[in-house]
């Protein structure tokens, strides 16, 4: 399966990265990691890329790593549709002190707009 | 978490305990949560209709209910329960958030006890209890299609603070900001 993981540096996106890479190490799926500009985080793209490379190395797994500039949700959906990915994978949101799940802005956009299946990692 | 609160202070709100007759003529007591209420509260959430869940709470399995109740009845939280004939029929909670003296709010009323005026009382009494222990700002999130809940929160004094995502965030100010000592 051809997977496209979007990561913008939020905690839930890092968790999605770790879980997806662990799974790809078992399944051998074809993984692309797209580093997004998430306006809600202050993570710099180079720092995210280092993190991605470290997680891939630890799992002895390879993936293509790409940077997407501009609006994160729309760029991700565009890439997934144009290059015929089977699935978009994203972090499934943060949890408030109360325990309420709050979906991130990128996930909201992607869920409502993507013709490609979407997995939210919880 | 919101960082937008009304300038105006809401309240004053009643403090627990309080006993009243609901619109169905049932005698309801609202009081501070006591660890002895834990069993009754667990029973309430086990009976709770999953269709009324919001954003993943209350959780549904016994294990997740236990973990969640441990977290939201922990240190520095404020909890009030509505009790009818020894059973918990409603629960409202304030859980501390950043910055200091800020809390997130949630409220649940068992299905058979909804639309009877219990939610409004529970909410006001929780805010009274919260103000009494020094909470200055309270926020909550509510699914944006949940008009009855949004109306209830507005009636008590909450104002929309963020309406751009799936969930509306609303906030209320319980006290003027503490003078900085720094």
């Amino acid at each position: 399966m051809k997977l496209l993981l979007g990561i913008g540096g939020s905690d839930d996106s890092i968790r999605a990265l770790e879980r997806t890479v662990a799974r790809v190490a078992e399944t051998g799926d074809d993984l692309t990691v797209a580093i997004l500009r998430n306006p809600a985080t202050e993570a710099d793209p180079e720092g995210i890329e280092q993190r991605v490379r470290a997680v891939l190395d630890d799992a002895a797994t390879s993936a293509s790593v790409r940077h997407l500039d501009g609006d994160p949700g729309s760029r991700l959906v565009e890439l997934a549709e144009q290059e015929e990915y089977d699935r978009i994978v994203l972090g499934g949101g943060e949890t408030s002190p109360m325990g309420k799940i709050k979906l991130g802005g990128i996930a909201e956009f992607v869920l409502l707009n993507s013709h490609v299946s979407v997995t939210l990692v919880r | 978490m919101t960082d937008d609160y009304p300038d105006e202070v809401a309240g004053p709100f009643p403090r627990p305990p309080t006993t009243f007759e609901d619109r169905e003529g049932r005698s309801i007591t609202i009081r501070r949560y006591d660890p002895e209420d834990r069993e009754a509260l667990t029973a309430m959430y086990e009976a709770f209709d999953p269709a009324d869940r919001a954003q993943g709470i209350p959780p549904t399995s016994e294990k997740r209910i236990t973990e969640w109740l441990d977290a939201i009845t922990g240190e520095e939280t404020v909890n009030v329960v509505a009790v009818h004939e020894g059973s918990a029929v409603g629960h409202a909670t304030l859980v501390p958030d950043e910055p200091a003296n800020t809390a997130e709010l949630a409220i649940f009323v068992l299905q058979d006890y909804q639309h009877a005026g219990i939610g409004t009382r529970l909410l006001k009494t929780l805010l009274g209890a919260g103000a009494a222990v020094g909470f200055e700002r309270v926020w909550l999130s509510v699914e944006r299609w949940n008009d009855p809940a949004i109306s209830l929160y507005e009636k008590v004094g909450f104002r929309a603070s963020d309406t751009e995502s799936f969930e509306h965030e609303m906030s209320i100010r319980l006290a003027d900001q503490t003078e900085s000592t720094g």
Side-chain angles (χ1 to χ4, degrees):
Chain A
M1 187 147 72
K2 204 174 155 190
L3 299 178
L4 178 61
L5 172 80
I7 176 170
S10 59
D11 290 347
D12 64 320
S13 75
I14 301 291
R15 195 163 59 241
L17 166 73
E18 292 168 350
R19 298 260 297 274
T20 304
V21 168
R23 185 157 170 77
V24 164
E26 287 178 20
T27 61
D29 284 328
D30 176 3
L31 175 65
T32 298
V33 179
I35 296 170
L36 310 170
R37 306 292 181 265
N38 183 353
T41 67
E42 285 160 15
D44 79 294
E46 299 313 316
I48 298 173
E49 179 167 348
Q50 285 172 14
R51 185 77 179 259
V52 170
R53 303 257 178 223
V55 170
L56 288 168
D57 286 348
D58 284 351
T61 301
S62 63
S64 12
V65 179
R66 301 171 61 158
H67 286 264
L68 295 186
D69 290 320
D71 180 69
S74 58
R75 291 297 318 279
L76 192 69
V77 172
E78 185 184 22
L79 177 65
E81 291 178 357
Q82 283 179 354
E83 301 194 8
E84 301 192 337
Y85 281 87
D86 299 303
R87 190 171 295 253
I88 295 173
V89 183
L90 287 169
E94 309 280 352
T95 306
S96 75
M98 184 64 62
K100 285 190 171 181
I101 296 163
K102 180 166 173 56
L103 218 51
I106 299 173
E108 281 192 8
F109 182 91
V110 171
L111 280 178
L112 294 175
N113 288 282
S114 173
H115 292 277
V116 174
S117 295
V118 181
T119 295
L120 298 181
V121 177
R122 289 265 157 85
Chain B
M1 180 184 87
T2 191
D3 50 17
D4 184 15
Y5 292 89
D7 292 332
E8 203 176 319
V9 173
F13 295 106
R15 294 183 190 184
T18 172
T19 296
F20 63 100
E21 193 169 275
D22 77 359
R23 289 205 286 268
E24 302 289 327
R26 297 170 293 212
S27 172
I28 306 288
T29 297
I30 294 176
R31 52 175 170 76
R32 283 292 294 259
Y33 169 82
D34 181 275
E36 287 180 10
D37 295 321
R38 179 59 180 260
E39 205 175 317
L41 200 53
T42 302
M44 174 184 133
Y45 284 117
E46 284 175 346
F48 201 82
D49 183 347
D52 274 1
R53 299 175 77 194
Q55 296 163 261
I57 61 170
T60 49
S61 72
E62 192 185 333
K63 178 172 168 282
R64 286 181 190 269
I65 291 173
T66 299
E67 289 169 357
W68 178 64
L69 288 178
D70 284 348
I72 66 167
T73 59
E75 251 177 77
E76 293 178 29
T77 62
V78 175
N79 286 269
V80 295
V81 287
V83 179
H84 177 235
E85 294 178 347
S87 296
V89 300
H91 170 218
T93 177
L94 293 175
V95 177
D97 192 10
E98 300 292 327
N101 303 326
T102 304
E104 182 185 3
L105 178 146
I107 174 171
F108 295 97
V109 175
L110 208 52
Q111 282 67 35
D112 286 349
Y113 291 82
Q114 294 176 1
H115 316 295
I118 297 173
T120 308
R121 297 277 196 140
L122 201 51
L123 200 54
K124 286 181 176 172
T125 312
L126 177 72
L127 293 171
V133 302
F135 281 117
E136 296 168 2
R137 292 167 299 277
V138 174
W139 70 276
L140 59 85
S141 65
V142 54
E143 289 161 337
R144 66 174 163 206
W145 51 85
N146 194 346
D147 291 331
I150 292 170
S151 304
L152 166 63
Y153 295 134
E154 282 176 344
K155 192 169 69 179
V156 171
F158 280 86
R159 297 293 172 256
S161 55
D162 179 358
T163 57
E164 287 185 358
S165 44
F166 283 177
E167 303 87 24
H168 275 190
E169 287 191 356
M170 303 180 78
S171 64
I172 194 170
R173 185 180 295 282
L174 298 180
D176 283 321
Q177 272 169 300
T178 316
E179 299 262 330
S180 169
T181 51

